[in-house]
Amino acid sequence: MEDRRTARASADQNVRFRVLAPLVLALALLLSLYLVTTYRAFTSQREASLQQATETTTELLRRATEDNIATLGSLMSAITRDPLLEDAMRRQDREALLARGAPLLQELQARAGITHLYFHAPDRVNFLRVHQPYRFGDTISRVTLMEAERTGQPSVGNEQGPLGTYTLRYVMPWRSGDRLLGYIELGKEFQLVASSLREAHAMDVAILVDKKYVDRALWEPTAAEQRLPPWDTLPSIVAVFSTAQALPDELSARLARQGLDLDEPTVSVQADGRVLECTLLPIDDVRSLETAKLLVMRDVTGVAAAARAQLVAGCAAFAGVSGGLLAMFHVLLGRIQRDLRERSRLLTSAKECLEQEIEVRIVAQRELEGALGASAAASQAKTESLAQREEALCELQATKRALEQQLQTIERQRVTIRELSLPIVDVWDEILALSIVGPVDSERAADMMDGLLRRIVDAQARWIILDVTGLPAIDDEVAARLARVAKAVRLLGCDCIVTGISPHIARAFVALGVELGDIRPLRSLKDGIKHCMSARQAAALRSTLAT
């Protein structure tokens, strides 16, 4: 008895092991797949994020530069129209020019961050530096000024100075009638343009320049004032401007090895417990030289922490669910094993009864075999009859499917005909045209109104042309339907023009007493389009004047 109990316990453990061991392996495999898949997803997402960060930062820098160029152009136009400045320049009165230009530069610096204002003679000799009035008389050989002298047109671009910093310069020839008074030059330090990125988008920026293009003697006083990294921090690069107190060590190591030409435009580094996305963007130079780059640093610590937390939470949830499943299976397998033992006992007793019944049924089977032989012939006849009926049923089903396909084709053709009967055309922005061809019944009028109102809302149209050239005849109902369509169009704030009214339709309108109201009738579709274009231009002019 004791041996039997031991054997049963051993069998129970063996069953549990054979079931639970593969389950544990499967769960471990699923966990491994989850970790690998999640890691790859995070890696792919990070690479996509880095690519998007590069494109976004490039676009932000481009927009900031374009906005500043547009601002400089607007300010330059206002300066060239100043009569006091023009009179002082014509008389070559430097003191009068400075008296007018100094407060003007202060105002421009406060409003738009302008840091440089020059007045040059026609031979490119500097007549006045408003920001440094004690310096004048030197010949200016900057690219932007020489380009303006060569073309006679405004010239704009970033130019690098001896400190390695860039200045966005806008130079315009200054004329009084046919006489060239000289050249006016406005300048805004590029670091102010770069600083706008930090103010608008919460990111640190730095301008990194190749040391070959920087005068160290002039750079060191500025570096001490702005607390820039020391000259020897990097072997071939120096920072001429930075909103961050120091560059991340990992990024500095990469810059020390590769210079300004990193393997990737955007890299992710860690510094002081933060994760930073660092992007190097080229700075457009009028000389087409790549001597410096703009470093943009974004703090993405929150994003990285969220990704790690998501991974840990997923692993913890998986571990909890797996443990619960294992415990549940362990209990269920014990219950199943007990049920199996009880059923095995019942099956043994039932087996003995079945053996006796089998002997009785063998005798009965032999008796049935004779009866089955007799019924086989009858079954064969019935089988042939059922086969014939099945063939007939298949033919009926094939005929039914053919009829359903024909009905679907007819329905599609009907929908197509309804769409073709309402040819609504976008003639121009805010202008739609609907050519009515053929008779207009109640169903077509409803479709016409629904389709036209939807197109007016989608296209934000302000004028709609109803061309009735193809309308064969008109009666009370047709006239009333057209009037309802025009009224609905007016309720949406859209002017309605009816064109192509033939003589018999005109007589019908008069005979039926139809009031056109706000509907404007014109002779042809061409006249309707001309009217709408004129009204659109007039509306645009009024809007411009109102602005």
Side-chain angles (χ1 to χ4, degrees):
M1 188 67 178
E2 187 67 26
D3 294 339
R4 184 177 298 177
R5 291 179 179 177
T6 303
R8 289 179 179 177
S10 176
D12 292 347
Q13 295 296 329
N14 190 27
V15 170
R16 287 178 177 175
F17 177 78
R18 284 185 293 177
V19 174
L20 292 179
L23 180 60
V24 171
L25 292 176
L27 292 175
L29 180 60
L30 287 177
L31 179 59
S32 301
L33 290 176
Y34 169 77
L35 293 175
V36 172
T37 304
T38 304
Y39 176 78
R40 290 182 177 177
F42 286 158
T43 302
S44 177
Q45 184 179 3
R46 175 177 171 273
E47 293 175 354
S49 175
L50 293 177
Q51 179 66 24
Q52 184 178 4
T54 302
E55 296 174 356
T56 302
T57 306
T58 302
E59 179 65 15
L60 291 175
L61 180 60
R62 184 188 65 80
R63 290 183 180 179
T65 303
E66 290 179 353
D67 291 343
N68 279 276
I69 291 175
T71 301
L72 290 174
S74 301
L75 296 175
M76 183 67 77
S77 299
I79 293 174
T80 56
R81 293 193 298 268
D82 192 312
L84 297 179
L85 293 175
E86 181 178 344
D87 180 67
M89 189 66 178
R90 184 183 294 108
R91 293 184 290 103
Q92 295 291 295
D93 189 342
R94 185 177 288 105
E95 294 183 358
L97 196 63
L98 178 61
R100 175 58 181 162
L104 179 60
L105 178 59
Q106 292 178 356
E107 181 181 357
L108 296 180
Q109 188 169 10
R111 290 173 51 190
I114 305 302
T115 54
H116 301 73
L117 175 58
Y118 302 81
F119 295 94
H120 305 301
D123 57 356
R124 291 188 288 106
V125 174
N126 176 253
F127 183 72
L128 174 65
R129 289 179 173 86
V130 178
H131 54 288
Q132 293 179 342
Y134 53 87
R135 294 180 57 200
F136 58 86
D138 52 324
T139 300
I140 306 301
S141 299
R142 285 193 290 269
V143 175
T144 50
L145 179 56
M146 296 175 68
E147 182 68 12
E149 179 187 37
R150 184 182 66 83
T151 62
Q153 300 294 328
S155 177
V156 63
N158 285 312
E159 291 198 65
Q160 191 177 30
L163 290 177
T165 57
Y166 279 86
T167 302
L168 182 61
R169 301 183 182 275
Y170 193 106
V171 182
M172 175 180 284
W174 194 9
R175 299 183 184 277
S176 178
D178 296 333
R179 177 185 174 188
L180 179 63
L181 298 178
Y183 302 91
I184 302 177
E185 180 179 342
L186 287 176
K188 182 175 182 178
E189 293 182 359
F190 184 76
Q191 63 190 43
L192 298 179
V193 178
S195 297
S196 65
L197 296 177
R198 181 190 186 190
E199 297 170 359
H201 303 283
M203 57 181 68
D204 284 316
V205 295
I207 300 177
L208 306 179
V209 185
D210 193 326
K211 288 183 178 180
K212 295 184 294 184
Y213 299 94
V214 181
D215 188 333
R216 180 174 182 177
L218 297 176
W219 174 86
E220 287 184 341
T222 304
E225 180 180 352
Q226 298 183 6
R227 297 181 180 179
L228 297 175
W231 178 272
D232 297 327
T233 301
L234 299 172
S236 60
I237 305 171
V238 67
V240 298
F241 170 74
S242 177
T243 60
Q245 295 183 354
L247 298 180
D249 294 339
E250 185 177 347
L251 178 62
S252 298
R254 289 196 178 197
L255 293 173
R257 293 193 305 269
Q258 303 176 18
L260 294 176
D261 298 324
L262 294 180
D263 296 335
E264 301 176 353
T266 300
V267 295
S268 179
V269 300
Q270 294 187 357
D272 300 329
R274 299 182 303 161
V275 179
L276 302 177
E277 285 184 356
C278 303
T279 304
L280 277 180
L281 300 177
I283 300 177
D284 294 334
D285 189 292
V286 293
R287 299 172 298 175
S288 299
L289 297 177
E290 193 169 302
T291 63
K293 287 190 176 180
L294 177 66
L295 173 63
V296 180
M297 294 177 286
R298 287 188 181 87
D299 189 348
V300 294
T301 306
V303 177
R308 288 194 298 270
Q310 181 180 355
L311 182 61
V312 172
C315 292
F318 187 87
V321 172
S322 300
L325 286 175
L326 291 174
M328 181 182 67
F329 272 98
H330 186 273
V331 174
L332 289 177
L333 287 173
R335 293 178 180 178
I336 292 171
Q337 186 63 32
R338 288 192 296 271
D339 291 342
L340 288 175
R341 287 199 303 269
E342 180 64 22
R343 293 185 180 184
S344 177
R345 184 184 64 78
L346 296 175
L347 287 173
T348 301
S349 61
K351 180 181 178 182
E352 296 175 354
C353 296
L354 286 174
E355 288 177 351
Q356 296 174 359
E357 291 181 4
I358 289 172
E359 293 178 357
V360 175
R361 291 186 180 184
I362 289 174
V363 175
Q365 183 178 4
R366 291 172 181 172
E367 295 175 353
L368 287 174
E369 287 178 355
L372 289 175
S375 64
S379 298
Q380 181 66 28
K382 291 181 179 180
T383 302
E384 294 176 356
S385 177
L386 289 175
Q388 293 176 356
R389 293 181 181 181
E390 184 176 358
E391 291 179 359
L393 180 60
C394 291
E395 292 178 357
L396 290 175
Q397 290 178 348
T399 303
K400 180 182 177 181
R401 286 194 295 271
L403 290 175
E404 290 177 349
Q405 292 177 356
Q406 291 178 1
L407 289 175
Q408 292 175 359
T409 302
I410 292 172
E411 179 63 20
R412 288 195 297 270
Q413 292 175 349
R414 188 181 69 83
V415 172
T416 302
I417 291 172
R418 288 180 58 186
E419 292 177 352
L420 293 176
S421 65
L422 295 176
I424 302 175
V425 180
D426 290 309
V427 176
W428 202 259
D429 291 343
E430 301 179 336
I431 301 174
L432 298 177
L434 170 59
S435 296
I436 303 175
V437 180
V440 180
D441 55 13
S442 59
E443 182 179 359
R444 188 182 179 195
D447 294 341
M448 183 188 306
M449 181 179 292
D450 292 341
L452 185 58
L453 295 182
R454 283 197 301 270
R455 286 297 303 275
I456 288 173
V457 173
D458 294 340
Q460 298 183 355
R462 296 179 59 188
W463 295 273
I464 176 68
I465 303 172
L466 297 180
D467 183 29
V468 298
T469 304
L471 191 64
I474 189 167
D475 54 15
D476 291 344
E477 293 183 359
V478 174
R481 291 164 186 160
L482 292 178
R484 285 196 295 271
V485 171
K487 185 176 181 180
V489 169
R490 290 294 300 165
L491 288 177
L492 291 181
C494 187
D495 292 340
C496 185
I497 297 96
V498 178
T499 63
I501 299 177
S502 62
H504 72 276
I505 292 178
R507 287 194 298 271
F509 273 130
V510 174
L512 297 173
V514 177
E515 294 293 337
L516 295 180
D518 294 331
I519 304 175
R520 184 180 183 90
L522 292 175
R523 180 179 301 172
S524 64
L525 179 60
K526 179 179 180 181
D527 294 336
I529 294 174
K530 287 183 178 180
H531 171 76
C532 292
M533 294 298 291
S534 300
R536 184 177 182 276
Q537 293 176 356
L541 180 59
R542 287 194 299 272
S543 177
T544 303
L545 294 176
T547 304

